[in-house]
Structures are given as C-alpha cells and as structure tokens.
Amino acid sequence: MHELMKEYKLDGQFRWITAQTNRARNGELYRYIADTKGAFVQPAFYEAFGLTVVEAMSCSLPTFATCHGGPAEIIEHGVSGFHMDPYYPDQAAESMADFFEKCRDDPSYWKKISDAGIKRINERYTWKIYSERLMTLAGVYGFWKYVSKLERRETRRYLEMFYILKFRDLVSA
C-alpha cells in the first residue's frame, strides 16, 4: 500500500489510523475526518456487530464496511453507506474511487450519503431504541415465564413451534 501511495502521489490524501483505545478521542477523530470530507473504511473479513461503523456514521462519515456480519444490516448499500467484500479488494477499491469521483462531480453527494447515514443510525441504533427493545424483551420473557409455568417438554414444543413458524424462514432467507 505504501508503494502505491508513492506511485500515485497520494501522500496526504488518506491516513492509516491504528486501533484507538482512547474512546473519548474517537469521536473527535471521526469529526476531523468528516470535516475534511473523508470517509471511514472498515475492511474486516467479518464483524459481529460493527460498533465502529455505528460510531463513524453517527459522526457523519460516509462509511465503507464489510458485507460479512453486522455492518451488512447497519448500512443500506448506496444509500447510507457502502458494503464491500474484503475478499475482493479490487471491487472495494473501485467502489471507493467511484464514491470520491461522484463527490468531485457533485459536491452535494458526500452530504447526501452522510445525512442518510446519520438518519439510519438515529432510526435504528440509538441507546434509547436499544434500551426500549431490551426492556420489552425482558418484560415479555418475564411475563411468559410467570404466566406459563411450562414444564421442560412443553417449553421445547413451544420453541420448536416458534422455529418452524418463524425462524426457519428467516434462516433460509
């Protein structure tokens, strides 16, 4: 990568940022990158959830992230960010180059993706939403456990019915 930077005279055009351990500084770092109309790239082979993706998008950074795992659900490809397959680096590079070319041709494009990313996070990934869902699930589980008093065999039948009616279709999709 460093040789490509030299060959194409990209010095000063992008930065490698190592893993950050100072959480208070992360938001400031993301803001600085956003202020210079940069982008966040998370090229992991797999990411279970994608907290860095949520953080970057909430700081208004257009985000490119792995299509394997959580970021595939967080990002709406081409709307609020971009999926990339780290197993195909040429396609990922082409996607990033295409994004910055569109930004050069249409200065409002960066803001369009940035705003859509913030909107996506505010609609689905805030602490308020998470805590409300958690409390709802806890309430449903607590109520079900209190009311049902099911034996082990009955519980297993209930879970099998749930799997057959709902989960199996989700897995196959």
Side-chain angles (χ1 to χ4, degrees):
M1 289 302 297
H2 290 284
E3 286 185 28
L4 288 172
M5 286 173 61
K6 288 177 189 172
E7 180 182 341
Y8 292 100
K9 297 176 179 61
L10 297 173
D11 190 38
Q13 298 296 313
F14 68 93
R15 298 278 188 264
W16 292 104
I17 300 172
T18 60
Q20 299 296 303
T21 56
N22 182 341
R23 290 181 180 255
R25 193 173 60 189
N26 285 354
E28 193 64 32
L29 184 59
Y30 292 148
R31 271 304 333 140
Y32 176 77
I33 297 168
D35 288 346
T36 59
K37 300 289 189 254
F40 179 81
V41 180
Q42 190 261 32
F45 288 113
Y46 179 82
E47 181 69 35
F49 174 67
L51 185 57
T52 58
V53 171
V54 171
E55 290 171 344
M57 290 171 70
S58 67
C59 289
S60 77
L61 275 171
T63 301
F64 294 80
T66 183
C67 61
H68 304 291
E73 182 179 320
I74 297 168
I75 294 172
E76 294 171 289
H77 182 72
V79 176
S80 61
F82 304 90
H83 299 143
M84 55 186 251
D85 191 335
Y87 294 102
Y88 298 95
D90 290 343
Q91 290 175 1
E94 186 177 321
S95 176
M96 287 182 267
D98 184 50
F99 169 74
F100 284 109
E101 285 175 5
K102 285 181 180 176
C103 289
R104 181 193 62 211
D105 297 341
D106 177 7
S108 68
Y109 186 67
W110 188 94
K111 185 167 176 20
K112 175 184 170 189
I113 299 298
S114 170
D115 289 347
I118 292 171
K119 182 178 181 224
R120 178 78 171 171
I121 297 305
N122 288 336
E123 288 175 350
R124 295 185 173 227
Y125 297 101
T126 65
W127 281 113
K128 183 177 190 276
I129 293 168
Y130 174 77
S131 62
E132 286 172 355
R133 287 183 183 165
L134 184 62
M135 293 307 290
T136 299
L137 288 173
V140 168
Y141 175 74
F143 178 76
W144 175 72
K145 185 176 178 186
Y146 174 78
V147 171
S148 68
K149 306 254 193 241
L150 295 177
E151 296 296 322
R152 187 175 200 90
R153 196 172 2 170
E154 292 168 313
T155 303
R156 183 169 176 79
R157 281 192 209 123
Y158 174 81
L159 292 174
E160 286 172 356
M161 178 192 68
F162 175 73
Y163 172 78
I164 290 166
L165 293 175
K166 191 73 178 157
F167 191 66
R168 184 173 55 185
D169 292 338
L170 291 172
V171 170
S172 64

